[in-house]
Amino acid sequence: MQRRVIFPDKGLPYLLLAPQLAITLVFFFLPAGQAIWFSFLRQDAFGIRTEFVWFENFAELFADPLYLDSIRVTVVFAAGVTLLAMSVALGLAVLADRQIRGATAYKTLLIWPYAIAPAIAAILWIFIFHPQIGLAGRFLNGIGVAWDYKLNGAQALLVVVLASAWKQVSYNFLFFLAGLQSIPRSVLEAAAIDGASESRRFWTIVFPLLSPTTFFLLVINITYAFFDTFGVIDALTKGGPAKATTTLIYRAYIDGRVNLDLGSSSAQSVVLMVAVIALTALQFRYIERKVHY
Amino acid sequence: MHAPVSAAALAEADRATRAADRARRNGALVTHAILILGVALFALPIWIVLMGSTHDAATISRGEVPLLPGAEGLANYLTAWGEGSAKTTRAPVSAMMLNSFVMALLITFGKIAISLTSAYAVVFFRFPGRMLAFWSIFITLMLPVEVRIFPTFKVVSDLGLVNTYAGLIVPLIASATATLLFRQFFLTIPDELVEAAKMDGAGPLRFFKDVVLPLSTTNMAALFVIMFVYGWNQYLWPLLITTTGDVETIVIGIVRMLGSEADTDWHIVMATTVMALLPPVAVVILMQRWFVKGLVESEK
């Protein structure tokens, strides 16, 4: 935590820290504190009178069937994105890890989607799933499936999950590949000589050894699905149809930006902060364990 | 020593080896086939947009999204670059790209600069409040801009920074990730090096400039890739903070271009999409080595 040899200056370290601390105070702690404070307040319709209402905003939030619905949407959405993005990435990583020619080329060809903005990924997928101009959209309508993600909630959820997962696969692929390459070849070869089949080797040796990576990616992917996919939803469905793709973040945005409901939107921010803290704590427990091993 | 080997046994062994070889070759073939399919699946959406951007609006709205290039490519890109989508956007693509570049580069340099100095302060000095400073930077990992979006917006608008580059950039510049990465790296700099510098009469600023900065270039390159992509791809924050076209970024602009269904100039949207995804993808591919290093180090 501390080096033995240091510089004796008294004022300089404060000066060096000043920019980062100033930004952190003004744009992180002040707003977070205000979110907590506002979540206990209620304004009248004209924004003139403000009343301290304790936990009423929270009570109302959790009594609101639409809010509970957006929790359900978020859970389904996050589970879909995480499962899809992780399983596809693991499959591709296992294949790319085999000693085949061109493994580096495959790696390069698979990592670039990481660089694409979620909102841009959404636009790419519009041209596949748009009912009139999209490749798959037109095909589905052609074979008699009533495909229109702008009208059908389940289809809308499917499209936002696909677009969000598509972008995340490359990230997971990199980490799975790194994890696979750190597994000693000799262990796998010994098992192969003992006659263990490929799938048996995977499930009894490779998969358990990958579990720290898998757990780390699980947390990262859930966080991604919660917070970074706002652009996908805004570009593709705007939370519709009939709120079928309104996640917790999207709802907080609508309540604050469109409905200007300060109390409720702050209460939602606080709920989300608790969720991030829980996720981050999980992630650090994992890192700590890894350090001790 | 060896038992006599019959010709039949030899032939049998030979057959087995050849069968195993064949199986391995087939296995490799299947592996390649699946990987190529995976690559194709990832490239398909890009291919469609790239081809679509070379056709006219009518072809695309008729639903005949072409899989081969058309003749309107140059015209589409020039229109998008110089005018944008006439019906829905407020700025040409060139202006929005410039905004995105300014934003991504300033966020990147800002994050790297203030993280370098803060990590240097907590590692190479001992002063009251050192741990408090470190933890208050660290805890911001738990407060992504999305969860405190409106209070942060209120602070920025109270400061009069809506629709300014400062409002777009400064709130995103603090970086716990980069600070942690640099701190970890600084802790590995040998004490002897610091001792030697002190003996030579170098002060902390001199040591920072002549020793620490040159040693940190690999870490800076790695962070550059990740932070540039982060800055370029920002969505929710610019969406709130840019209410006029002046500081609009390309990622926001393109979604606004979609507008209402009937008004969408699909060919312009496609050309713009290609231009919008090019810079971050180019940075990742060209700097792949540092990108992977930065990712693995900053996340683990």
Side-chain angles (χ1 to χ4, degrees), chain A residues 235-258:
Chain A
L236 267 170
T237 62
K238 301 248 180 275
K243 299 198 186 300
T245 54
T246 298
T247 57
L248 290 170
I249 292 280
Y250 207 81
R251 154 105 194 211
Y253 168 77
I254 295 293
D255 278 350
R257 181 69 167 173
V258 184

Side-chain angles (χ1 to χ4, degrees), chain A residues 1-4 6-7 14 16 20 27 31 98 101 106 108 112 114-115 127 130 133 138 166 234 269, chain B residues 31-32 60 63 65 114 117 124 128 130 147-148 151 179 183 186 189 191 198 233 235 261 270 288:
Chain A
M1 199 66 222
Q2 173 71 58
R3 328 178 42 97
R4 277 183 295 113
I6 48 157
F7 291 103
Y14 294 105
L16 291 170
Q20 175 109 304
F27 298 111
R98 286 190 184 160
R101 228 180 293 183
Y106 286 121
T108 306
W112 55 267
Y114 167 86
F127 295 114
H130 192 283
I133 65 166
R138 262 185 317 135
W166 177 80
D234 197 46
S269 279
Chain B
T31 305
H32 280 292
I60 300 166
V65 174
I114 70 172
T117 58
F124 287 94
R130 193 175 69 95
V147 307
R148 53 186 166 81
T179 310
R183 176 184 161 269
F186 290 167
I189 294 178
D191 277 328
K198 284 170 91 173
N233 289 349
Y235 189 84
E261 195 75 357
M270 285 173 151
Q288 196 178 337

